Amino acid sequence: MRILLFTGKGGVGKTTTAAATALKAAQAGYKTLVISTDPAHSLSDALNIPLKPEPTPIAPNLWGQEFDVYYSMKKYWGNMRQLMLTVFKWRGVDNVVAEELSVLPGMEEASAFLWIEKYYREKEYDLLIIDSAPTGETLTLLTLPQATKSWLTKAFPGQKTAVKTVGFMVRKTTGVPLDKGYQELEGLFDKLEQIQKIFTDPEICSMRIVANPERMVIQEAKRAYTYLQLYGYNVDGIVVNRILPDDLPKDGLFGKYLASQQKYLGEIEEDFAPLPIFKVGHMGQEVFGLDLLEQIGDAIYGDQDPTTIFHDEQPFVVEESKKYYNIKIKLPFISETDFELNKFGDELVIDLNGRRKKVFLPRFANFLQLKDHSFEHPWLTVRLKKEEK
């Protein structure tokens, strides 16, 4: 089974790209499920077919699904939800408010993981395509297992048996499912760890970033690329969407936009090399429905199989020592050592023969001091000094 996850800044056409890829794969004979993890669902709009919180048939070999956290709570975490509701009602919270509060922070992301784990375990589909939330929320989703890995142990240190024993007594005497709720929470964290292992296996899962040839979008795409690599997720391609044709009048309304578009397309080619870059022209209209999605799928992949692993490489490595962070960055476009390197916050700026490249570092590097650097083609190693304690 293959898993493809599409991410990018809100409004770049991420949902359209995911849906077009799903349709292309289904037409190639893969049994495909495309699912939306974005709380502001638009997948059904792109497909022009109403979707449900369970897989809905769309076309031959193609199903779609939009997550609903309340539906997932009732289906998978009934005891945990009942525990939360009981506690809130016992504290005098109004029924409607208690229902809203029963969905814990992060539960939206966790519910997505549970569904994905289920589909991977059951192997009912050949391909799972995830239309994720915008970049920030996607990173929250993907880092959730790391954030929660030790939470249960820290919350109940050495009290696992006691919680279950006392919880059983509480349930028998009061009806509050404390022990069952704890078991569900424990099982949830186990599955979060399992699915992260799947996501970090490049043979199974690939991330694809969707962008437009615009400055702010490219900046966010670069940050997403850095963080996905940092957490061990394989990015195998960039889809540049809504490119205006060159034959538009240069002195008209789009003159300045076309000039900046060419500049940013060149920047994308250089900054994301050697990642494959797929370019999609602007359709000149709103994109929804299978006919237009088919055209976009053909524009992205042509005769290529959309399930292909287009790239598998780790161009960003962080190594920690006692006093420093050594950050290794693969820069294949640099062929000589005569360049200038500066650091501004969480950005590295490389100046080489009049060309400038910006590399985004993890945010923890924002206040770290640039100590020195070395270059051994194609790897640039930057040494950042830790803050004195």
Side-chain angles (χ1 to χ4, degrees):
M1 182 183 187
R2 279 278 281 151
I3 300 174
L4 303 178
L5 185 146
F6 289 85
T7 188
K9 186 176 174 61
V12 296
K14 170 182 52 62
T15 297
T16 301
T17 304
T21 302
L23 180 60
K24 180 84 171 176
Q27 291 173 338
Y30 295 100
K31 189 175 181 182
T32 303
L33 172 63
V34 55
I35 55 181
S36 172
T37 64
D38 190 341
H41 297 301
S42 58
L43 182 59
S44 58
D45 296 325
L47 294 165
N48 204 27
I49 294 174
L51 298 179
K52 300 176 181 177
E54 294 277 357
T56 304
I58 297 169
N61 289 325
L62 181 60
W63 286 259
Q65 179 182 2
E66 291 182 335
F67 288 151
D68 184 301
V69 66
Y70 294 98
Y71 179 87
S72 300
M73 285 284 287
K74 291 176 182 178
K75 180 167 183 174
Y76 291 108
W77 310 321
N79 288 304
M80 197 191 309
R81 172 176 169 272
Q82 189 58 46
L83 172 62
M84 298 296 295
L85 282 172
T86 303
V87 170
F88 285 128
K89 289 178 181 178
W90 175 65
R91 297 293 296 175
V93 177
D94 180 81
N95 283 355
V96 175
V97 178
E99 185 76 45
E100 291 289 330
L101 291 175
S102 68
V103 178
L104 296 170
M107 200 61 77
E108 193 94 41
E109 293 84 2
S111 69
F113 266 106
L114 285 187
W115 283 99
I116 294 165
E117 189 275 337
K118 172 183 182 293
Y119 294 134
Y120 181 80
R121 175 169 35 85
E122 294 176 349
K123 299 291 193 297
E124 183 179 350
Y125 300 95
D126 303 316
L127 175 64
L128 183 62
I129 291 182
I130 303 168
D131 167 35
S132 73
T135 312
E137 288 83 349
T138 299
L139 294 173
T140 299
L141 168 71
L142 294 174
T143 57
L144 186 66
Q146 290 172 313
T148 59
K149 185 175 182 179
S150 61
W151 187 90
L152 199 63
T153 303
K154 291 179 180 178
F156 303 100
Q159 301 176 28
K160 182 175 179 180
T161 303
V163 170
K164 290 183 178 180
T165 303
V166 173
F168 174 78
M169 297 172 59
V170 170
R171 177 163 54 88
K172 287 297 183 182
T173 56
T174 67
V176 178
L178 179 60
D179 57 333
K180 297 292 185 181
Y182 180 88
Q183 289 174 13
E184 286 184 3
L185 190 62
E186 192 176 33
L188 165 64
F189 288 169
D190 288 342
K191 288 182 177 181
L192 289 179
E193 289 191 66
Q194 292 169 18
I195 199 64
Q196 189 184 40
K197 291 177 182 177
I198 294 168
F199 273 169
T200 53
D201 185 341
E203 295 295 318
I204 299 172
C205 185
S206 295
M207 311 284 164
R208 292 176 188 170
I209 300 172
V210 184
N212 302 142
E214 299 173 6
R215 183 177 181 275
M216 291 180 63
V217 174
I218 295 171
Q219 296 289 80
E220 184 158 332
K222 289 179 185 178
R223 290 188 187 277
Y225 186 40
T226 294
Y227 274 88
L228 290 170
Q229 293 292 331
L230 179 64
Y231 286 106
Y233 299 107
N234 181 51
V235 179
D236 78 341
I238 306 289
V239 179
V240 185
N241 191 30
R242 298 180 188 145
I243 301 174
L244 292 178
D246 288 333
D247 57 3
L248 289 173
K250 301 296 188 295
D251 57 351
L253 176 65
F254 297 104
K256 290 184 178 180
Y257 188 89
L258 286 171
S260 65
Q261 174 178 275
Q262 288 304 116
K263 171 190 171 185
Y264 291 132
L265 286 173
E267 185 177 321
I268 291 169
E269 292 277 1
E270 182 172 286
D271 287 355
F272 287 101
L275 273 183
I277 298 172
F278 303 96
K279 297 178 181 179
V280 186
H282 200 295
M283 300 296 289
Q285 60 181 309
E286 283 189 276
V287 178
F288 58 88
L290 300 184
D291 291 341
L292 287 175
L293 290 176
E294 182 177 359
Q295 293 180 40
I296 290 180
D298 290 340
I300 298 172
Y301 301 104
D303 295 330
Q304 298 179 93
D305 186 333
T307 68
T308 300
I309 303 171
F310 292 108
H311 187 76
D312 180 8
E313 189 176 44
Q314 188 75 9
F316 194 96
V317 179
V318 178
E319 298 171 344
E320 184 179 4
S321 63
K322 188 175 181 180
K323 295 183 178 180
Y324 302 98
Y325 283 106
N326 296 315
I327 299 180
K328 298 179 67 177
I329 306 164
K330 192 170 186 179
L331 299 173
F333 70 92
I334 292 181
S335 57
E336 54 188 281
T337 58
D338 186 19
F339 61 87
E340 185 177 346
L341 182 69
N342 291 292
K343 177 180 175 291
F344 302 99
D346 62 350
E347 291 183 23
L348 278 180
V349 179
I350 304 166
D351 285 300
L352 173 66
N353 295 332
R355 291 186 301 162
R356 172 168 288 191
K357 178 182 175 71
K358 292 183 179 180
V359 178
F360 286 95
L361 302 174
R363 289 196 183 277
F364 68 77
N366 191 40
F367 300 105
L368 300 185
Q369 183 181 359
L370 175 62
K371 180 65 176 177
D372 52 39
H373 68 275
S374 60
F375 183 77
E376 185 174 346
H377 191 268
W379 290 95
L380 170 67
T381 300
V382 178
R383 192 159 59 144
L384 302 177
K385 188 176 181 181
K386 294 181 179 179
E387 294 178 290
E388 298 286 344
K389 292 184 178 181

